[in-house]
């Protein structure tokens, strides 16, 4: 039996919560207890990638509401149990809602996504007492669910208010020590919740002198304090049975400043492209569809574009199979699925036509009896066929939107060029030519390309060359403030040699087969058919060194923490020499789907290895580059971390 994934563990915890904190019964014979679920924005973000409306209904949730849109009337009380799910820090406190005073619900079950403080618990008691509703508050629970699971092997800490723990928040120069402590404590609180839900106490490794080290020290202390109290420990034998029951996982913390090129990199895989060029968050993508071919009448207000959303979930088999594939392969796969569907649809139509045959001809009667079974089989598979058609339409629309961006911005050219820069390959076109080309991408695309060149260059460009590049970027409409920040970042890190991106690069293939014909849904003419070469990004390479216990200058100085040791160490002594089978990588300062996919590919290449990727926030290149201009020199942050 396969070990439970992070997503399965969190989903099981949510279902247990909604079943009055008891294991749900796997039976459809008994009717569920009907109840109401009320959550804040943080709770909504946790639930939405994991449970559909149908699944909530199957668990007896007749009504689910966000606290910001809670509009129920006291004149129509609901004689149902009410489940409240929120963070303890929500400003709009659910227990202070008029519904409590009006006794709108039969009973209240308060569930907090992380541990609630004693003072806030006393606030609940005071509010219930003032509303004469003490008997209605049945239970108060700490659920330890303060993180968002997007994939079986990927999680983030938050989506709402993510700017509070963003790369910008951690690296700004005017931050006070108390603010930095609050950011680190917020990250540690969510990571603690993750390991409680997972039921595992990890071995922690981290670099020195940055935010990752601060998080590691605080997390080690929090885990150690919980384990010391054996009676109330959250890591009991009952909780640890599951994914990591036989071997403890390795938990690798790294800082975003380790690798600044990857977040800026134009990508070529399906999921990462969707995140880079479309509005994609919490496994939901939003597309703007045109108003249609009919023009608006003269003088009339132009028709608004329709905004349509699609869920890209674990139930979507096409997405699960192709989300990590290069985009040309995805376009061909969509076309293959469409061709297969059309063939099945034509077969059903043909059989229907045959069933309508008339006459006394023996051949017709024989053909009729032969095809009855075929038509019955085809009709029984109709629901599956309709679901297949829905997924084909979904991915046709999404892939078409991605293709429009690729063609209009020449993203294939940017991807190929950046791969050559990162692998130190020979360039077939000068950087100035691409920057100066008005038809090649947006100003942001050009800035991303130049920043990658600047970060990965063995030798920084001379002052005269830099002035020439700066002029070309300015003429192209680029804001140079990200470049000024990266200059300061590179000077601070004192990188004698830039980060090694391995033997990266791309391999051009021949023309597309299925998507170059006239009947294809995708007009791929002018787009390069590029296939990625397997290589390890810096985060993946660090993980490999630590999992395999390889001696390497990059990781030899990493600190070591084991929360299960009775007496803590200063983290400088490596106490266990073991090759790890399971690992979690967490990037403090934000992550991206490019790194995630690289770790997925690495895990597939290592038989028996399981890797989970996590980050404080998930951003695409556009969101990341917008955080950079407002940052000034960061050398002061190095001093701040060394003091903490």
């Amino acid at each position: 039996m396969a070990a439970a994934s992070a997503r399965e563990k969190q989903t099981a915890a949510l279902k247990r919560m909604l079943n009055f904190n008891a294991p749900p019964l796997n039976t459809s014979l008994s009717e569920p207890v009907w109840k109401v679920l009320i959550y804040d924005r943080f709770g909504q973000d946790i639930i939405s990638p994991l449970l559909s409306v149908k699944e909530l209904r199957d668990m007896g949730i007749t009504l689910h509401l966000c606290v910001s849109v809670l509009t129920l009337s006291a004149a129509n009380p609901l004689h149902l149990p009410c489940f409240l799910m929120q963070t303890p820090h929500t400003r709009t406190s659910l227990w202070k809602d008029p519904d409590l005073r009006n006794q709108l619900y039969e009973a209240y079950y308060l569930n907090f996504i992380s541990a609630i403080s004693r003072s806030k618990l006393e606030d609940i008691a005071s509010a219930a007492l003032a509303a004469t509703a003490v008997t209605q508050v049945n239970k108060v629970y700490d659920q330890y669910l303060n993180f968002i699971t997007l994939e079986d092997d990927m999680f983030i800490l938050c989506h709402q208010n993510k700017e509070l723990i963003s790369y910008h928040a951690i690296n700004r120069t005017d931050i006070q020590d108390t603010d930095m402590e609050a950011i680190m404590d917020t990250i540690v609180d969510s990571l603690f919740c993750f390991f409680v839900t997972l039921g595992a106490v990890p071995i922690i490794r981290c670099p020195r002198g940055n935010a990752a080290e601060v998080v590691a020290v605080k997390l080690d202390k929090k885990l150690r304090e919980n384990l010391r109290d054996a009676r109330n420990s959250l890591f009991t034998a009952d909780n640890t049975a599951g994914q990591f029951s036989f071997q403890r996982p390795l938990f690798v913390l790294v800082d975003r400043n380790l690798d600044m090129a990857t977040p800026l990199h134009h990508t070529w895989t399906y999921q990462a492209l969707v995140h880079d060029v479309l509005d994609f968050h919490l496994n939901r993508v939003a597309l703007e569809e045109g108003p249609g071919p009919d023009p608006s009448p003269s003088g009339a207000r132009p028709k608004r574009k329709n905004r349509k959303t699609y869920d890209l979930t674990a139930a979507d088999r096409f997405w699960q199979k192709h989300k990590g594939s290069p985009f040309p392969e995805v376009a061909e796969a969509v076309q293959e699925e469409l061709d297969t569907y059309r063939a099945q649809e034509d077969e059903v139509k043909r059989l229907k036509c045959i069933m309508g045959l008339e006459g006394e001809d023996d051949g017709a009667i024989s053909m009729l009896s032969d095809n009855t079974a075929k038509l019955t089989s085809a009709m029984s598979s109709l629901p599956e066929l309709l679901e297949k058609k829905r997924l084909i339409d979904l991915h046709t629309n999404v892939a078409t939107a991605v293709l429009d961006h690729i063609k209009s911005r020449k993203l294939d050219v940017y991807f190929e060029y950046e791969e050559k820069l990162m692998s130190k390959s020979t360039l077939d076109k000068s950087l100035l030519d691409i920057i100066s080309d008005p038809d090649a991408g947006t100003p942001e695309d050009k800035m991303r390309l130049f920043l990658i060149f600047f970060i990965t260059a063995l030798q920084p460009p001379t002052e005269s060359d830099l002035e020439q590049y700066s002029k070309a970027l300015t003429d192209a409409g680029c804001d140079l403030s990200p470049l000024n920040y990266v200059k300061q970042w590179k000077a601070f890190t004192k990188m004698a040699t830039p980060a090694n991106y391995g033997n990266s690069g791309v391999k051009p293939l021949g023309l597309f087969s299925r998507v170059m014909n006239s009947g294809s849904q995708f007009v791929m003419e002018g787009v390069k058919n590029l296939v990625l070469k397997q290589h390890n990004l810096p985060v993946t390479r660090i993980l490999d060194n630590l999992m395999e216990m390889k001696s390497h200058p990059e990781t030899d100085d990493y600190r070591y923490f084991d929360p299960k040791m009775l007496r803590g160490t200063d983290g400088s002594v490596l106490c266990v020499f073991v090759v790890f089978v399971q690992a979690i990588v967490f990037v403090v300062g934000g992550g991206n789907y490019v790194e995630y996919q690289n770790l997925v590919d690495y895990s597939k290449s290592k038989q028996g290895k399981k890797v989970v990727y996590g980050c404080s926030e998930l951003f695409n290149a556009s969101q990341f580059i917008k955080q950079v201009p407002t940052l000034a020199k960061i050398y002061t942050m190095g001093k701040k971390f060394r003091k903490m």
Side-chain angles (χ1 to χ4, degrees):
M1 182 179 176
S5 67
R7 175 156 55 186
E8 290 169 336
K9 289 258 186 174
Q10 193 176 29
T11 303
L14 282 171
K15 289 182 176 181
R16 182 185 178 93
M17 180 194 81
L18 295 174
N19 193 49
F20 301 94
N21 284 277
L25 299 175
N26 296 322
T27 176
S28 58
L29 299 178
S30 59
E31 184 175 302
V33 178
W34 303 111
K35 42 199 173 278
V36 176
L37 173 63
I38 300 175
Y39 40 70
D40 61 7
R41 292 290 187 188
F42 296 90
Q44 184 181 40
D45 290 344
I46 293 168
I47 294 173
S48 61
L50 299 177
L51 297 174
S52 66
V53 174
K54 180 183 181 302
E55 288 173 306
L56 289 175
R57 187 61 55 85
D58 291 341
M59 287 182 283
I61 303 297
T62 60
L63 181 67
H64 56 96
L65 297 166
C66 185
V67 67
S68 63
V69 294
L70 189 57
T71 54
L72 292 180
S73 171
N76 298 294
L78 299 172
H79 298 291
L80 296 172
C82 176
F83 281 75
L84 300 164
M85 180 184 180
Q86 72 167 105
T87 173
H89 312 296
T90 301
R91 290 182 180 178
T92 307
S93 299
L94 297 179
W95 62 83
K96 293 180 181 178
D97 194 84
D99 295 344
L100 187 62
R101 296 194 300 271
N102 296 330
Q103 299 186 354
L104 188 63
Y105 304 105
E106 180 184 271
Y108 284 84
Y109 295 82
L110 308 184
N111 295 272
F112 294 94
I113 62 176
S114 59
I116 185 171
S117 66
R118 183 172 183 84
S119 62
K120 291 186 180 295
L121 203 57
E122 290 172 355
D123 288 343
I124 296 176
S126 299
L129 193 62
T132 62
V134 175
T135 56
Q136 287 179 281
V137 180
N138 279 18
K139 298 285 185 180
V140 180
Y141 292 98
D142 293 332
Q143 292 293 346
Y144 297 98
L145 294 171
N146 193 15
F147 61 96
I148 301 169
T149 308
L150 298 177
E151 304 282 349
D152 285 339
D153 48 6
M154 182 182 187
F155 71 99
I156 61 176
L157 297 193
C158 65
H159 180 67
Q160 300 291 329
N161 296 349
K162 62 182 180 181
E163 64 278 358
L164 299 179
I165 57 171
S166 66
Y167 179 82
H168 173 268
I170 295 172
N171 289 283
R172 62 191 178 92
T173 57
D174 59 345
I175 192 168
Q176 302 297 315
D177 287 347
T178 52
D179 295 335
M180 179 57 69
E181 283 280 349
I183 292 172
M184 297 295 105
D185 289 341
T186 299
I187 294 173
V188 169
D189 176 68
S190 291
L191 289 175
F192 181 77
C193 291
F194 175 79
F195 285 109
V196 170
T197 302
L198 211 58
V201 180
I203 301 291
I204 305 171
R205 302 297 304 273
C206 71
R208 297 175 184 271
N210 54 31
E213 182 184 24
V214 180
V215 171
V217 172
K218 285 179 172 288
L219 180 62
D220 173 64
K221 181 182 178 183
K222 194 174 182 73
L223 289 167
R224 191 180 300 279
E225 289 174 350
N226 187 265
L227 290 167
R228 191 178 294 136
D229 184 2
R231 181 177 295 179
N232 298 312
S233 175
L234 297 164
F235 298 93
T236 62
D238 293 336
N239 290 334
T240 54
Q243 186 177 7
F244 298 124
S245 55
F246 298 108
Q247 189 180 41
R248 292 166 64 192
L250 172 68
F251 183 48
V252 180
L253 280 152
V254 295
D255 192 276
R256 179 69 276 158
N257 287 311
L258 163 80
D259 173 19
M260 293 281 281
T262 299
L264 299 167
H265 188 23
H266 290 87
T267 183
W268 199 235
T269 55
Y270 190 27
Q271 185 178 44
L273 264 171
V274 169
H275 188 236
D276 190 22
V277 303
L278 302 178
D279 181 7
F280 178 56
H281 59 271
L282 300 182
N283 294 345
R284 177 170 292 178
V285 61
L287 300 180
E288 283 193 351
E289 299 178 345
D294 298 331
S296 300
S298 178
R301 180 181 298 176
K303 294 181 180 179
R304 294 180 61 184
K305 290 185 176 181
N306 296 323
R307 189 172 174 84
K308 198 163 186 179
T309 59
Y310 301 100
D311 290 322
L312 301 174
T313 65
D316 185 337
R317 287 177 293 178
F318 185 91
W319 176 250
Q320 291 301 310
K321 182 178 180 180
H322 295 288
K323 63 185 178 183
S325 302
F327 183 76
E329 291 183 14
V330 175
E332 291 197 342
V334 172
Q335 191 61 45
E336 285 179 16
E337 292 284 334
L338 186 58
D339 292 344
T340 303
Y341 169 77
R342 284 173 176 169
Q344 291 175 314
E345 189 179 44
D346 290 343
E347 176 66 10
V348 172
K349 290 178 180 178
R350 188 184 68 83
L351 289 172
K352 283 183 177 180
C353 180
I354 292 173
M355 292 296 287
L357 286 174
E358 296 180 357
E360 303 295 331
D361 181 53
D362 291 341
I365 295 172
S366 174
M367 190 179 295
L368 180 65
S369 60
D370 290 342
N371 285 289
T372 300
K374 291 182 181 179
L375 184 60
T376 303
S377 174
M379 294 304 291
S380 64
S381 64
L382 194 58
E384 183 182 343
L385 202 61
L386 292 173
E387 174 63 12
K388 190 174 185 179
K389 178 64 165 62
R390 184 187 71 81
L391 293 178
I392 291 171
D393 290 343
L394 185 161
H395 288 285
T396 299
N397 293 337
V398 172
T400 301
V402 171
L403 180 60
D404 289 343
H405 281 273
I406 292 174
K407 294 174 73 173
S408 64
R409 294 163 54 185
K410 297 187 177 179
L411 297 184
D412 53 335
V413 175
Y414 279 95
F415 168 71
E416 183 180 24
Y417 203 97
E418 289 167 4
E419 285 285 314
K420 288 180 178 179
L421 285 173
M422 295 166 78
S423 62
K424 311 296 185 294
S425 302
T426 305
L427 305 176
D428 52 6
K429 191 175 183 180
S430 76
L431 189 63
L432 273 175
D433 288 344
I434 297 181
I435 294 173
S436 304
D437 185 354
D439 297 325
T442 63
E444 186 179 276
D445 291 325
K446 298 175 192 291
M447 178 52 72
R448 287 166 61 179
L449 173 64
F450 182 75
L451 290 177
I452 290 174
F453 160 73
F454 189 85
I455 291 168
T456 59
L458 292 172
Q459 294 293 333
T462 63
E463 286 298 323
S464 59
D465 287 343
L466 194 57
E467 187 176 340
Q468 192 177 5
Y469 285 126
S470 298
K471 183 180 183 305
L473 289 167
T474 303
D475 292 343
C478 299
D479 176 12
L480 296 184
S481 51
L483 174 59
N484 297 330
Y485 173 75
V486 170
K487 280 187 199 173
Q488 295 159 0
W489 166 79
K490 198 166 183 179
F492 169 72
T493 53
K494 298 177 182 177
M495 296 170 68
T497 56
N500 178 16
Y501 290 89
N503 186 26
S504 60
V506 292
K507 181 172 62 175
L509 297 179
L511 294 176
F512 301 95
S513 55
R514 288 182 176 268
V515 292
M516 287 297 287
N517 61 64
S518 57
S520 170
Q521 294 288 310
F522 304 99
V523 183
M524 299 288 287
E525 188 175 358
V527 178
K528 296 185 178 183
N529 190 4
L530 304 171
V531 176
L532 288 81
K533 291 182 182 178
Q534 191 67 36
H535 66 286
N536 288 341
L537 292 172
V539 169
T540 306
R541 191 175 60 253
I542 286 170
L543 172 70
D544 182 56
N545 291 338
L546 295 174
M547 280 192 85
E548 303 292 340
M549 298 299 293
K550 297 177 182 177
S551 178
H552 194 281
E554 202 171 24
T555 52
D556 285 347
D557 196 37
Y558 269 49
R559 296 187 68 181
Y560 175 96
F561 299 94
D562 184 353
K564 280 194 172 183
M565 292 181 66
L566 294 177
R567 300 181 65 180
T569 66
D570 62 358
S572 59
V573 180
L574 184 62
C575 302
V576 176
F577 292 89
V578 61
V579 176
F580 291 92
V581 175
Q582 295 146 339
I584 299 131
V585 183
F586 186 83
V587 185
V588 180
N592 53 79
Y593 279 110
V594 180
E595 282 176 339
Y596 164 68
Q597 188 58 49
N598 196 250
L599 285 165
V600 169
D601 295 339
Y602 166 81
S603 181
K604 288 178 180 178
S605 69
K606 300 284 186 178
Q607 189 173 4
K609 302 281 186 184
K610 293 186 180 297
V611 179
V612 176
Y613 178 73
C615 51
S616 51
E617 66 165 326
L618 185 66
F619 48 56
N620 59 24
S622 179
Q623 293 163 343
F624 179 58
I625 208 169
K626 285 173 183 173
Q627 295 188 39
V628 170
T630 53
L631 291 171
K633 293 181 180 178
I634 62 172
Y635 77 92
T636 54
M637 290 308 302
K639 294 179 181 177
K640 194 177 294 293
F641 286 128
R642 284 191 286 272
K643 287 193 301 182
M644 290 180 69

